[in-house]
């Protein structure tokens, strides 16, 4: 095996963390840009520092047979290097980086204090996200629609354990703590879908707790808002009897808040917080055996006949 072939797999694994649709170094908003800049500069400074230290060690090793005479020119030069590179430069660099990171960047990504045009409340659950829009009655799950180039305040909290809301292309992480509401600014500079992930271990399905921020032009966002403010097109007694104890479908007798609001479920991109793409076959699999798809989640396996399964799926698919 060549050396390149040996190096390729670990390199791919390392770089895989930087790419894809959840990218920590592709800022799409002002706050994340400040964080990414800080990251690159700190990485650059650390790399240069590491290079200088390794070079000095190497020079010392080359000269190991020729020690400097005490008090000679070599010793004075060595003392100068220790004081300059070992004491003075680190003090200057670390103070500068401290001021920039802890005073400048931390300040610029601080919780928004002024009201913003749009506010969303995001509530963590094991293991999905409840999303509520400003003063409207709109409730969705796992997808946060925002207008592009607009400041949006996300007010985040949790219904159960501690979670952490993190959409790396838009901003830092923010903890979701019981009884506390934390704030974060979401602002996307260009339209797009920004994937996020719960960033605090919160139980068995922590890894299956993803979220998407969908940034759209204002007109499309307003249309989405208007569509989602509508109640469901109709009710289903089968759904109410079997699912209504946990789910809400606005405009029908089902109005529980244990699981996600399903009023417009069929228009969403995923099932179970991005565990599966929302396709008919995946929906069928999810409805019939949720404990196989996402073990430990709170949705029980129901005992229904084939005809009932088909009717239930048809109803859920009608919730556009
Ligand atoms: Cu929620 Cu990890």
């Amino acid at each position: 095996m060549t050396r390149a072939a040996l190096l390729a797999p670990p390199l791919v694994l390392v770089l895989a963390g930087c790419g894809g649709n959840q990218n920590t170094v592709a800022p799409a908003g002002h706050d994340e840009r400040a964080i990414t800049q800080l990251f690159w500069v700190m990485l650059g400074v650390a790399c240069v520092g590491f290079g200088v230290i390794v070079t000095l060690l190497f020079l010392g090793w080359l000269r190991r047979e020729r020690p400097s005479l005490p008090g000679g020119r070599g010793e004075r030069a060595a003392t100068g290097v220790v004081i300059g590179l070992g004491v003075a430069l680190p003090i200057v660099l670390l103070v500068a980086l401290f001021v920039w990171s802890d005073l400048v960047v931390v300040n610029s990504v601080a919780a928004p204090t002024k009201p913003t045009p749009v506010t969303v409340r995001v509530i963590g659950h094991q293991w999905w996200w409840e999303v509520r829009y400003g003063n409207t009655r709109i409730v969705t799950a796992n997808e946060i629609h925002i207008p592009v180039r607009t400041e949006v305040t996300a007010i985040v909290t949790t219904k159960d354990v501690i979670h952490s809301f993190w959409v790396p292309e838009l901003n830092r992480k923010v903890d979701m703590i019981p009884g506390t509401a934390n704030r974060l600014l979401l602002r996307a500079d260009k339209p797009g879908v920004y994937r996020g992930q719960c960033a605090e271990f919160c139980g068995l399905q922590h890894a299956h707790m993803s979220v998407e921020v969908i940034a759209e032009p204002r007109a499309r966002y307003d249309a989405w808002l208007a569509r989602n403010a509508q109640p469901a097109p109709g009710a289903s007694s089968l759904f109410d009897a079997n699912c209504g104890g946990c789910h809400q479908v606005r405009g029908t007798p089902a109005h529980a808040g244990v699981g996600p609001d399903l009023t417009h479920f069929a228009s969403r991109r995923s099932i179970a917080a991005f565990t599966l793409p929302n396709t008919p076959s995946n929906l069928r699999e999810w409805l019939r055996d949720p404990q196989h798809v996402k073990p430990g989640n709170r949705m029980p396996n129901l005992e229904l006949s084939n005809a009932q399964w088909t009717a239930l799926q048809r109803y859920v698919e009608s919730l556009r």
Side-chain angles (χ1 to χ4, degrees), residues 60-299:
W61 179 77
L62 282 182
R63 290 172 53 100
R64 67 195 181 283
E65 305 294 341
R66 294 177 286 140
S68 311
L69 296 171
R73 253 183 60 206
E75 197 188 73
R76 283 201 298 278
T79 309
V81 167
V82 169
I83 292 174
L85 289 182
V87 181
L89 191 66
I91 288 176
V92 171
L93 273 179
L94 292 179
V95 167
L97 287 177
F98 170 80
V99 169
W100 186 24
S101 66
D102 284 50
L103 303 180
V104 179
V105 176
V106 165
N107 242 336
S108 84
V109 301
T113 47
K114 281 184 241 138
T116 53
V118 178
T119 303
V120 290
R121 289 180 61 83
V122 186
I123 301 147
H125 294 256
Q126 283 174 314
W127 294 276
W128 58 281
W129 315 80
E130 176 183 337
V131 188
R132 294 179 171 270
Y133 286 78
N135 303 323
T136 71
R137 296 185 55 207
I138 298 173
V139 194
T140 62
N142 310 323
E143 285 179 10
I144 305 172
H145 286 249
I146 62 171
V148 74
R149 289 180 285 278
T150 306
E151 301 208 323
V152 177
T153 302
I155 304 174
V156 309
T157 186
T158 171
K159 231 358 190 315
D160 38 51
V161 300
I162 298 176
H163 304 268
S164 178
F165 176 73
W166 186 38
V167 184
E169 282 159 90
L170 298 182
N171 212 329
R172 63 189 163 89
K173 297 171 183 173
V174 60
D175 278 348
M176 309 174 100
I177 299 166
T180 302
N182 285 330
R183 283 158 185 271
L184 181 80
L185 194 73
L186 292 179
R187 188 187 191 282
D189 290 343
K190 49 185 194 303
V193 176
Y194 304 99
R195 172 102 172 208
Q197 165 68 32
C198 179
E200 177 91 36
F201 181 72
C202 55
L204 196 58
Q205 292 293 338
H206 156 71
H208 283 146
M209 189 169 167
S210 296
V211 61
E212 271 182 357
V213 173
I214 298 159
E216 296 166 313
R218 188 76 207 203
R220 285 190 64 177
Y221 168 75
D222 286 339
W224 179 88
L225 215 56
R227 201 166 56 248
N228 277 266
Q230 302 288 323
S236 147
S237 53
L238 182 66
F239 182 91
D240 295 341
N242 290 288
C243 319
C246 293
H247 293 283
Q248 168 168 267
V249 175
R250 275 173 283 134
T252 77
H255 52 75
V258 178
D261 178 293
L262 300 178
T263 311
H264 296 281
F265 169 81
S267 66
R268 289 185 206 147
R269 291 156 54 91
S270 85
I271 299 168
F274 293 87
T275 307
L276 296 172
N278 191 359
T279 63
S281 61
N282 284 340
L283 179 61
R284 182 188 146 89
E285 188 187 349
W286 168 249
L287 288 175
R288 293 201 178 204
D289 198 353
Q291 290 304 320
H292 174 75
V293 174
K294 195 172 179 179
N297 86 84
R298 297 181 72 182
M299 180 144 146

